[in-house]
Amino acid sequence: MNITFIIPPQLDDLKPAERTAGCTRMVYQAPNIYELQVVAVLEEAGYKVNYLDFVYTQKKLPQFLEFLRGDNSDIYFIWTVNLSIENDLECIRHILAERPQAKVVLLGPGPTYFTAKCLPSDQVMIVRGEPEATTLELVQTLEKKGDLSQVKGLSYKVDGKMVNNPSREPMPDINALPIPARHHIAHQVYHNPKLKLTPYTTMVTSRNCPYRCIYCVPSSLTFAREIEFRKDHGRKPPITKRSVEKVAQEIDILAAQGIKAIGFMDDNFIWNLERTQAIGEALKRHGIVWGCQARCDAITDDVARVLADTGCQYVDLGVESFDDEILKYIKKQETKEQIYDAIAHLKRHRVPVKLNVLIGCAPMETRETVRNTLREAKKLKVDQVMFNIVSPFPGTEYYKLCKENGWLATPDYVPTDVQRESILKLPNLSAEEMERLLFRNNLSFFLRPSFVFSQIKKFRSFGEFFYALKSLKIKLFG
């Protein structure tokens, strides 16, 4: 059984979709840790897997076709997000034209939700939701020419008719998973402008978040899990965490491989002081710099002190707005005072702060509430702010509200890059106004002399500065 995982080439002039977070186009490249986790599961079971990233290598359609004509894979796997669906379906057409006997399997949130659209032929199958167990069982079943109807979490076609097998429950213990198969990308060097040191990689220590923000798509894996689980249970899937011991073992391995920087992709990295400190100490032993995502209400002075002491170089805080009415509407379960407190704790211990702001996440959003958020971000003197326009992703509560209230500027959801585009028409803001506010906020924040000078002082080499400047250019202008 010859198995190949593909990150397909981008077939048009747009930036490739970012497949880990899953809601933007790429600003800088990072390993798809979720896909590499699936690869590791197959390899642990004894399968030989190839892994090809046509985006990293900047190869286009001619090289993709050349590869297919010389390849003999039985199965091609593609991790698909909403923004990559059209591109991936076109790549599938080329795969099946060159390799008509092969199977193509799609993973990720795109095909989990848009199942019918992502099944163009009987040769294509979809692993819905959490992928590891379903993928392994599918490969074993195909190898034995077994009964596909017994594989939970699988969708496929028989004689052109779609079959959706029953859902598979999420894994109760992710400690059983092997370490992601990073050996496939050992020759690829990644940079995170927020961490600066290389080699850089990503890592995950938990799955899902207990909160119920109405708009939230925290990562492509979480979204796939939530879409599938909510369909049957009407609620979010359970949270699962790796043990501190397992996390520390992986950190030791990464340090031995020369990794200098890690970005934790957990939806919510900081669960409590003790766990944060234990993982931080494992990183500190190797001098690894790191960053994470966290809620403001998780940041106490003690937590901030631990972050500073263990080499944390950024904390992404999802603040969304500084308006308490908006925060209540989106079910953030935080207040602007808690946002101020979290930022104060982090700044006191000199932990760099990045704020994530969502324009248009509530119907009471106005030009003034957006401008106020920008003023507050500047006044607080945080290190970075990412302004995005909320996208009403199907499967979220906000999507239902937008459909019910006529807040969509398009007949239905259309995949958009939340860093640039809007498909909303809120009572006080049009799609065009949101896009203009987003662009102006970015220019106003990132091109301030005080911001520019403060960032320049942090760079230790011209290479670091050049890479960060390139990422900023992409962020602002595409």
Side-chain angles (χ1 to χ4, degrees):
M1 183 71 67
N2 295 318
I3 301 169
T4 297
F5 279 69
I6 292 173
I7 299 179
Q10 188 67 23
L11 301 182
D12 55 28
D13 294 330
L14 296 172
K15 291 288 182 184
E18 200 289 311
R19 296 177 188 249
T20 307
C23 57
T24 67
R25 295 202 176 272
M26 191 175 290
V27 175
Y28 59 89
Q29 296 198 45
N32 186 340
I33 202 70
Y34 308 128
E35 191 173 49
L36 292 169
Q37 183 72 80
V38 182
V39 173
V41 168
L42 292 175
E43 290 183 333
E44 185 180 57
Y47 291 100
K48 185 177 184 301
V49 179
N50 297 313
Y51 188 88
L52 297 172
D53 186 343
F54 286 87
V55 172
Y56 183 92
T57 55
Q58 299 183 354
K59 292 178 179 177
K60 295 294 185 177
L61 181 59
Q63 293 89 352
F64 185 54
L65 294 176
E66 182 182 359
F67 155 72
L68 291 173
R69 289 164 188 158
D71 192 51
N72 65 344
S73 296
D74 300 297
I75 313 175
Y76 297 94
F77 285 89
I78 301 173
W79 185 280
T80 298
V81 296
N82 292 2
L83 272 173
S84 73
I85 288 174
E86 298 299 336
N87 188 82
D88 294 353
L89 288 175
E90 181 65 13
C91 287
I92 289 171
R93 187 179 70 79
H94 289 295
I95 292 172
L96 296 182
E98 300 295 338
R99 302 277 303 136
Q101 302 306 313
K103 302 287 188 184
V104 180
V105 181
L106 298 182
L107 318 170
T112 296
Y113 188 86
F114 296 101
T115 307
K117 181 175 184 176
C118 293
L119 285 175
S121 79
D122 289 10
Q123 296 299 105
V124 181
M125 292 173 282
I126 290 170
V127 169
R128 308 188 313 268
E130 191 174 67
E132 289 88 358
T134 301
T135 298
L136 177 58
E137 187 177 346
L138 169 61
V139 170
Q140 292 170 335
T141 301
L142 289 172
E143 186 177 39
K144 298 173 183 176
K145 296 182 171 54
D147 184 0
L148 291 177
S149 69
Q150 300 305 304
V151 181
K152 290 184 177 180
L154 183 69
S155 293
Y156 54 101
K157 280 184 175 179
V158 177
D159 297 328
K161 183 178 179 181
M162 188 166 68
V163 179
N164 292 312
N165 292 351
S167 299
R168 184 184 298 272
E169 292 292 302
M171 297 179 65
D173 181 15
I174 59 173
N175 280 306
L177 291 170
I179 291 172
R182 293 186 186 86
H183 58 275
H184 286 284
I185 57 170
H187 61 289
Q188 299 177 188
V189 180
Y190 296 93
H191 306 264
N192 183 334
K194 293 178 290 186
L195 289 175
K196 299 181 176 63
L197 287 183
T198 57
Y200 162 76
T201 193
T202 53
M203 189 171 167
V204 178
T205 75
S206 62
R207 292 185 175 180
N208 261 81
C209 164
Y211 296 92
R212 287 167 172 77
C213 306
I214 65 173
Y215 56 84
C216 195
V217 180
S219 73
S220 60
L221 173 63
T222 293
F223 196 33
R225 291 177 92 236
E226 288 197 6
I227 291 168
E228 187 71 2
F229 191 83
R230 193 181 292 275
K231 181 177 63 179
D232 294 328
H233 301 276
R235 56 183 173 84
K236 298 179 75 164
I239 298 162
T240 51
K241 301 175 190 172
R242 298 172 63 199
S243 69
V244 169
E245 292 74 21
K246 285 284 187 179
V247 173
Q249 287 173 15
E250 183 169 349
I251 291 169
D252 290 344
I253 290 170
L254 293 175
Q257 293 171 352
I259 293 296
K260 301 294 184 184
I262 296 174
F264 288 95
M265 302 303 293
D266 302 45
D267 306 336
N268 181 38
F269 178 78
I270 299 174
W271 295 99
N272 54 56
L273 176 63
E274 293 72 25
R275 178 182 173 86
T276 305
Q277 182 156 19
I279 295 174
E281 292 296 336
L283 292 155
K284 184 179 179 180
R285 282 198 299 272
H286 300 290
I288 292 174
V289 298
W290 59 283
C292 65
Q293 301 174 121
R295 283 177 55 89
C296 292
D297 56 7
I299 307 295
T300 64
D301 194 70
D302 285 339
V303 166
R305 174 183 48 78
V306 166
L307 297 176
D309 183 58
T310 58
C312 180
Q313 296 294 302
Y314 71 84
V315 177
D316 276 357
L317 297 175
V319 303
E320 321 319 345
S321 175
F322 285 95
D323 186 290
D324 275 334
E325 185 183 6
I326 290 176
L327 293 173
K328 183 177 180 180
Y329 181 87
I330 64 177
K331 301 181 182 178
K332 188 70 180 177
Q333 295 180 252
E334 288 180 341
T335 66
K336 63 182 180 181
E337 289 303 320
Q338 288 175 301
I339 296 172
Y340 298 145
D341 288 345
I343 294 170
H345 292 316
L346 293 169
K347 288 174 68 69
R348 185 177 303 116
H349 292 279
R350 298 184 179 180
V351 179
V353 181
K354 178 193 165 195
L355 304 184
N356 294 307
V357 171
L358 271 182
I359 296 172
C361 58
M364 62 281 296
E365 185 87 279
T366 65
R367 285 183 291 276
E368 182 52 35
T369 61
V370 175
R371 288 167 181 160
N372 180 63
T373 295
L374 174 61
R375 284 194 295 267
E376 290 296 310
K378 286 180 175 179
K379 185 171 68 177
L380 289 165
K381 297 181 180 179
V382 296
D383 291 79
Q384 288 195 40
V385 179
M386 176 174 277
F387 295 98
N388 294 321
I389 300 172
V390 69
S391 182
F393 283 98
T396 64
E397 184 178 347
Y398 199 51
Y399 171 75
K400 294 178 182 177
L401 289 167
C402 289
K403 288 282 286 183
E404 291 168 359
N405 291 281
W407 297 337
L408 286 174
T410 50
D412 204 337
Y413 166 81
V414 176
T416 57
D417 182 350
V418 300
Q419 294 183 102
R420 283 178 183 80
E421 303 163 327
S422 175
I423 57 169
L424 296 176
K425 53 174 183 180
L426 297 179
N428 304 301
L429 283 176
S430 68
E432 293 76 18
E433 286 174 309
M434 282 184 256
E435 290 172 0
R436 283 196 296 269
L437 284 166
L438 174 70
F439 183 68
R440 290 170 183 170
N441 279 9
N442 276 327
L443 289 181
S444 179
F445 185 86
F446 287 103
L447 298 186
R448 289 174 300 146
S450 60
F451 175 81
V452 173
F453 293 138
S454 69
Q455 295 301 303
I456 286 175
K457 291 189 295 185
K458 297 178 181 180
F459 294 111
R460 286 164 289 190
S461 69
F462 180 76
E464 286 181 5
F465 172 75
F466 176 78
Y467 191 81
L469 189 64
K470 180 181 176 183
S471 298
L472 180 60
K473 177 179 176 291
I474 293 171
K475 178 183 180 64
L476 294 179
F477 305 107

